[in-house]
Amino acid sequence: MKKSYLALVCGMIFLLTSCNTNPIQKKWKVADVKIPNVQSLMKLAPMIMGSSKLSNLVPANLLKAGNTSKVITEILKQATFEFKSGDKCTVNLFGKNANGTYRLDEDKKTLTINSNDLKIGNKLDIKEMSANKLVFDMHLGGQVITFELQPE
């Protein structure tokens, strides 16, 4: 009888600890990015174009002169966001990793990322969140950019 209770308690503990009730905790890749005005992001170009990893991030034909707006779009499509337990996160943006913490508001409409490495807006407005899709607006370069993510 005692063994039955012990097995039941152990089973319940396993189920409770193995269930991830926070669908955001995983590594996400960009499925789509919507930028209303890529030209307004051109002030980011010197930082991006100077990246030693640039040739690894975008196809060679986009690196030709005059394709800066396409390069910015392509680099944003290469971003990854990893949200881990303990409210830790890693964001790879512009070919650089930024480690920090995150907080998902109780209403699950605002995601806040805090990182000394990430010099962009840290409040993200969540539009949709499920186990297979995360859509949010990021304020970058004076405009709202919509990211649609899927699990990696």
Side-chain angles (χ1 to χ4, degrees), residues 125-140:
D125 303 319
I126 296 178
K127 301 299 180 193
E128 183 179 343
M129 182 172 58
S130 69
N132 297 313
K133 189 175 187 181
L134 177 60
V135 180
F136 61 80
D137 288 341
M138 176 187 284
H139 302 271
L140 182 63

Side-chain angles (χ1 to χ4, degrees), residues 34-135:
K34 292 181 178 79
I35 308 168
N37 182 5
V38 176
Q39 294 302 320
S40 71
L41 293 179
M42 296 310 271
K43 61 185 171 188
L44 300 174
M47 177 180 71
I48 294 169
M49 301 308 267
S51 172
S52 61
K53 298 179 182 179
L54 186 61
S55 61
N56 297 329
L57 295 172
V58 295
N61 62 329
L62 288 182
L63 294 176
K64 296 176 184 174
N67 284 332
T68 307
S69 65
K70 289 180 182 178
V71 169
I72 290 172
T73 302
E74 186 63 28
I75 287 177
L76 289 174
K77 286 182 179 179
Q78 300 299 317
T80 60
F81 298 80
E82 185 174 9
F83 302 100
K84 308 168 195 169
S85 62
D87 299 333
K88 305 276 186 215
C89 67
T90 301
V91 177
N92 184 293
L93 193 57
F94 305 122
K96 298 176 183 178
N97 278 336
N99 295 304
T101 59
Y102 73 95
R103 188 181 87 240
L104 182 62
D105 285 358
E106 283 186 37
D107 64 4
K108 298 188 178 178
K109 295 193 184 274
T110 304
L111 175 65
T112 305
I113 298 176
N114 294 306
S115 171
N116 291 332
D117 304 324
L118 201 57
K119 305 295 184 208
I120 61 173
N122 64 353
K123 285 202 182 236
L124 311 175
D125 303 319
I126 296 178
K127 301 299 180 193
E128 183 179 343
M129 182 172 58
S130 69
N132 297 313
K133 189 175 187 181
L134 177 60
V135 180

Side-chain angles (χ1 to χ4, degrees), residues 24-38:
I24 201 169
Q25 287 184 357
K26 59 183 78 168
K27 189 168 186 180
W28 300 86
K29 65 180 179 178
V30 176
D32 192 22
V33 62
K34 292 181 178 79
I35 308 168
N37 182 5
V38 176

